[in-house]
Amino acid sequence: QMCIRDRYQRRVHGEFAKTGVLPNCVNMSKKQSQHTLTVKYHSNSDVMVFIFSSLAANNITFQAFSNRFFDGEGTGLFTASISGEAASFESLRAAISANKSVVGVQIA
């Protein structure tokens, strides 16, 4: 069983590295999110929790996200593909902007 698992993991990792697509994955949405949330923030471990809590509180879902840190700046950049009601986006922007560690918020 371990051998089969290892072989499958190598295949999945190899396929993803070549194509950017995960093979044989379940519950992957065919519909792409139409909006992107971008948050620049001062490095603080609580910011990520705050962003995800704000998304949940505003009934906004995300399909994928990334989080990058900039060397020497002490800042990070969070991006997520999001879906939800347009009216919720302004509430989300206001909630995230209220965090003292957040430098800027954009929803496009």
Side-chain angles (χ1 to χ4, degrees):
Q1 286 181 348
M2 301 267 297
C3 199
I4 292 170
R5 184 200 69 201
D6 292 344
R7 188 172 52 221
Y8 179 74
Q9 284 179 338
R10 280 194 305 274
R11 184 172 100 32
V12 168
H13 289 213
E15 183 71 21
F16 181 73
K18 281 191 277 185
T19 66
V21 176
L22 290 171
N24 302 324
C25 292
V26 296
N27 297 331
M28 298 290 286
S29 176
K30 305 273 188 263
K31 181 179 158 190
Q32 295 295 315
S33 295
Q34 297 181 3
H35 301 280
T36 301
L37 168 67
T38 305
V39 180
K40 186 173 182 182
Y41 61 93
H42 295 295
S43 186
N44 179 338
S45 60
D46 295 337
V47 173
M48 293 295 295
V49 172
F50 186 79
I51 291 171
F52 287 120
S53 296
S54 297
L55 286 165
N58 286 282
N59 294 319
I60 295 174
T61 60
F62 67 94
Q63 288 183 334
F65 74 92
S66 68
N67 191 41
R68 297 183 177 104
F69 294 99
F70 299 103
D71 286 339
E73 291 186 36
T75 58
L77 185 69
F78 172 89
T79 57
S81 300
I82 60 173
S83 298
E85 297 295 321
S88 298
F89 291 159
E90 191 54 42
S91 176
L92 175 67
R93 183 190 335 264
I96 294 174
S97 295
N99 187 299
K100 64 183 178 204
S101 295
V102 171
V103 176
V105 179
Q106 180 180 355
I107 300 174

